[in-house]
Amino acid sequence: MYTYEHERPAIAVDIVVFGYHSDDKPDVKILKNKDAKDSLSLLLIRRGIEPFKNHWALPGGFIRKNETLEETAERELKEEAGIENVFLEQLYTFSHVDRDPRERIISASYFALVETSKYKPSASTDASEAQWFSMNKLPKLAFDHDEIVKTATLRLRNKVRYEPIGFELLPQKFTLTQLQSLYESILGEKMDKRNFRKKILSYGLLKELKSKIKNVSHRPSALYAFDLKKYKVLAKKGLEFEI
Amino acid sequence: MYTYEHERPAIAVDIVVFGYHSDDKPDVKILKNKDAKDSLSLLLIRRGIEPFKNHWALPGGFIRKNETLEETAERELKEEAGIENVFLEQLYTFSHVDRDPRERIISASYFALVETSKYKPSASTDASEAQWFSMNKLPKLAFDHDEIVKTATLRLRNKVRYEPIGFELLPQKFTLTQLQSLYESILGEKMDKRNFRKKILSYGLLKELKSKIKNVSHRPSALYAFDLKKYKVLAKKGLEFEI
DNA sequence: TCAAAAGTGTTCTTGATACACCCATGC
DNA sequence: GCATGGGTGTATCAAGAACACTTTTGA
């Protein structure tokens, strides 16, 4: 740290945006694959220029003056996909020397959790083309973005067990079955319905709402909302969420 | 990502080097504070130049051409403290615009776990002054290094619960009491001796050695070694370490 | 009346916790 | 023979896992 003479790689931010397309939401249609209902999905941008022209890549871009990495991530998310005010967390900084064929670029990656029904790619701003892909059917991505996605997937899988972040992927009102399906698709394992409900309700973080799902040809299910305020209070007191 | 015109902050790496000075090791003497026996410690470097001249700071330095961040961390650790071949993991990338008064510098931080008896600061190479400090008595650090240390401490506390990394801080041969004290000082809580032993031995990852601690004025304790090979095999099979 | 998903309790098993005395050694 | 830390087992309690039937609705 004693010299001003040093390499100046470019600094970029890449964002792994997770969404969840649940069964009974109308916007499941925007998924390309029919079998992708009820599955975790990823927001990708089709590149307009070389290198990797026409390949799918993570949204992202270069850092600007007077902007933190987090602010870069927020700005790019807004510019490229019209997404804002969502869960965003730093993931890992990738620095392999040849990760970009043009020049040296270090990428600080972030991951975001988005309620997909709110953000339809078609409604977005300046990104040439943005689209949700089911995690089960991802295309080969540009640069080292496959590795970044892999890292993010592992992080999400670990994190969702110990922090109540799954709610970020669901609409404000959701059913316990939706919540369970979400957990099942993130964790990749079936769970027992009774035990799941017992556990998740035991924290007292879900408010049961008066309204119910309507117009379904079976018993209507209760809707719940996550009580973020209560969680913050309890978290300070040392609540240990686990599912 | 469609332009070459963008800010080029400098990229540095800062390393939070944790050590553990246990009671019955002779090198406990290098700790300044007498009450620091059996405590987690941190390796700091005294800065030779402005800004923060004479302040204590984390070891670190700027990235070079053809060097990944991890390689930078390894190189600086070697150059500044004579430390190599230790546990090293990326922590977080700090990017506040004003974190360095000279110019914009983004810092990718790492944290390292070191068996302190192997690395006496006095034996190190070109660092002006390197020294272990007890975590209980840290000086105010240069730049935003206090924040980096705080982040690293939380990470260590979480990580040590679910991955057997505590051993990186102990000599190859250690007693169960040493191991327990280590956990207690990282986690900041007393543990039950019988339960601790039961649990830690239940994974079958510790080999009991034939040699014992000698020349102590009480019953000699058995020495153990961590069986890294076995752990790797079991981890692949899905072993879930937890303490 | 049928199909489809919602909702609900109990038993069993497992792991966590709490707890006190004898042992081996050096001085 | 005493001070010091090493080493050990059991009983209780709490949480996790396994498991099947009834309810409500729309068609």
Side-chain angles (χ1 to χ4, degrees):
Chain A
M1 270 228 183
Y2 301 143
T3 171
Y4 279 59
E5 305 294 334
H6 42 263
E7 206 202 0
R8 299 266 180 165
I11 310 286
V13 168
D14 290 302
I15 310 131
V16 181
V17 185
F18 288 111
Y20 179 70
H21 289 84
S22 61
D23 226 3
D24 46 11
K25 290 285 182 207
D27 53 312
V28 71
K29 288 174 217 139
I30 64 179
L31 280 171
K32 288 199 148 174
N33 312 299
K34 287 192 194 104
D35 59 342
K37 61 170 186 162
D38 249 278
S39 82
L40 204 59
S41 48
L42 183 61
L43 185 72
L44 297 176
I45 309 277
R46 190 195 284 275
R47 285 178 61 78
I49 59 158
E50 295 292 351
F52 294 101
K53 186 170 178 178
N54 295 323
H55 283 62
W56 293 95
L58 296 174
F62 291 103
I63 196 171
R64 292 191 184 158
K65 253 183 201 275
N66 300 319
E67 193 182 60
T68 63
L69 289 168
E70 183 154 347
E71 286 161 354
T72 306
E74 284 166 355
R75 177 175 52 74
E76 292 289 345
L77 221 41
K78 176 124 191 253
E79 287 177 10
E80 295 199 316
I83 291 173
E84 56 189 325
N85 297 321
V86 296
F87 176 95
L88 185 67
E89 182 178 292
Q90 191 181 301
L91 180 63
Y92 194 82
T93 301
F94 293 85
S95 62
H96 286 123
V97 173
D98 301 318
R99 54 178 300 284
D100 193 303
R102 291 167 292 185
E103 60 165 332
R104 177 141 206 211
I105 300 180
I106 286 178
S107 164
S109 60
Y110 278 74
F111 79 103
L113 303 180
V114 171
E115 187 209 323
T116 48
S117 63
K118 267 200 202 153
Y119 300 100
K120 317 217 167 149
S122 52
S124 72
T125 59
D126 74 343
S128 45
E129 210 181 332
Q131 197 161 90
W132 290 107
F133 284 80
S134 163
M135 288 295 288
N136 307 317
K137 299 262 172 108
L138 290 183
K140 178 97 180 66
L141 304 184
F143 306 106
D144 57 354
H145 291 186
D146 288 320
E147 188 189 353
I148 299 178
V149 169
K150 199 172 155 193
T151 305
T153 306
L154 286 174
R155 174 84 133 256
L156 175 61
R157 200 170 289 165
N158 278 318
K159 192 139 188 133
V160 85
R161 298 292 302 269
Y162 303 108
E163 282 171 64
I165 55 171
F167 308 101
E168 304 284 345
L169 291 163
L170 291 177
Q172 209 184 3
K173 302 175 178 186
F174 52 86
T175 70
L176 292 183
T177 303
Q178 282 179 308
L179 185 61
Q180 184 178 342
S181 303
L182 170 64
Y183 272 93
E184 287 177 345
S185 60
I186 292 175
L187 298 174
E189 60 186 45
K190 284 280 164 201
M191 295 170 141
D192 179 90
K193 184 163 58 159
R194 279 176 287 195
N195 293 338
F196 179 82
R197 284 164 184 245
K198 209 184 304 170
K199 189 82 182 277
I200 202 87
L201 291 174
S202 73
Y203 297 107
L205 295 173
L206 298 185
K207 296 190 274 252
E208 185 172 352
L209 305 175
K210 281 166 195 167
S211 55
K212 300 208 169 210
I213 287 273
K214 295 249 160 101
N215 301 319
V216 286
S217 78
H218 55 75
R219 178 169 175 175
S221 67
L223 287 168
Y224 290 82
F226 178 63
D227 190 341
L228 183 59
K229 259 191 211 160
K230 192 164 176 190
Y231 171 63
K232 285 189 175 162
V233 172
L234 291 176
K236 270 190 192 157
K237 291 184 188 163
L239 168 75
E240 305 219 346
F241 179 88
E242 203 210 312
I243 196 81
Chain B
M1 268 226 187
Y2 301 143
T3 172
Y4 279 59
E5 304 295 333
H6 41 260
E7 208 203 358
R8 302 263 178 167
I11 310 288
V13 167
D14 290 303
I15 310 130
V16 180
V17 185
F18 288 111
Y20 180 72
H21 289 85
S22 63
D23 223 2
D24 46 11
K25 291 282 163 207
D27 52 313
V28 71
K29 287 173 219 142
I30 64 181
L31 280 171
K32 289 200 148 172
N33 312 301
K34 284 189 195 113
D35 59 342
K37 64 171 185 164
D38 249 280
S39 83
L40 204 59
S41 48
L42 183 62
L43 186 72
L44 296 174
I45 309 278
R46 189 194 285 272
R47 286 179 60 78
I49 58 160
E50 295 292 349
F52 294 100
K53 186 169 177 177
N54 294 325
H55 283 63
W56 294 94
L58 296 174
F62 291 103
I63 196 170
R64 293 190 184 161
K65 255 182 201 273
N66 301 316
E67 194 181 59
T68 63
L69 289 167
E70 183 155 348
E71 285 162 355
T72 306
E74 284 167 355
R75 178 176 51 73
E76 292 288 346
L77 221 41
K78 177 121 190 254
E79 287 177 12
E80 296 200 317
I83 290 173
E84 57 190 323
N85 299 321
V86 296
F87 176 94
L88 186 67
E89 183 179 290
Q90 191 183 298
L91 180 62
Y92 194 82
T93 301
F94 293 83
S95 62
H96 287 121
V97 173
D98 302 318
R99 54 178 299 285
D100 192 303
R102 292 167 292 185
E103 59 165 331
R104 176 140 206 211
I105 300 181
I106 286 179
S107 163
S109 60
Y110 278 74
F111 79 102
L113 303 180
V114 170
E115 187 210 323
T116 48
S117 63
K118 267 199 200 155
Y119 300 98
K120 318 216 165 148
S122 53
S124 72
T125 58
D126 72 344
S128 46
E129 210 180 333
Q131 198 161 89
W132 289 108
F133 284 79
S134 164
M135 287 296 287
N136 308 318
K137 298 261 172 111
L138 289 184
K140 178 100 180 63
L141 304 185
F143 306 105
D144 57 354
H145 291 186
D146 288 321
E147 188 188 353
I148 300 179
V149 169
K150 198 172 158 194
T151 306
T153 306
L154 285 175
R155 174 82 134 257
L156 174 62
R157 201 170 288 165
N158 278 317
K159 192 139 190 134
V160 84
R161 298 291 301 268
Y162 302 109
E163 280 172 64
I165 56 170
F167 308 101
E168 304 284 345
L169 291 163
L170 291 178
Q172 209 183 4
K173 302 175 177 187
F174 52 86
T175 69
L176 293 183
T177 302
Q178 282 179 307
L179 185 62
Q180 183 178 344
S181 305
L182 170 64
Y183 272 93
E184 287 176 345
S185 59
I186 293 176
L187 298 175
E189 61 185 47
K190 284 280 165 201
M191 296 169 140
D192 180 271
K193 183 163 61 160
R194 278 176 288 195
N195 294 338
F196 179 83
R197 285 164 185 243
K198 210 185 303 172
K199 188 85 181 274
I200 201 87
L201 291 174
S202 73
Y203 298 106
L205 295 173
L206 298 185
K207 296 189 275 248
E208 184 171 354
L209 304 174
K210 280 165 195 167
S211 55
K212 301 206 171 212
I213 289 275
K214 295 249 162 100
N215 301 319
V216 284
S217 79
H218 54 75
R219 180 170 172 176
S221 68
L223 286 167
Y224 290 82
F226 178 63
D227 190 339
L228 183 60
K229 259 191 211 163
K230 192 165 176 187
Y231 171 63
K232 285 190 174 163
V233 171
L234 291 176
K236 273 189 191 159
K237 291 184 188 164
L239 168 75
E240 305 218 347
F241 179 88
E242 203 211 309
I243 195 79

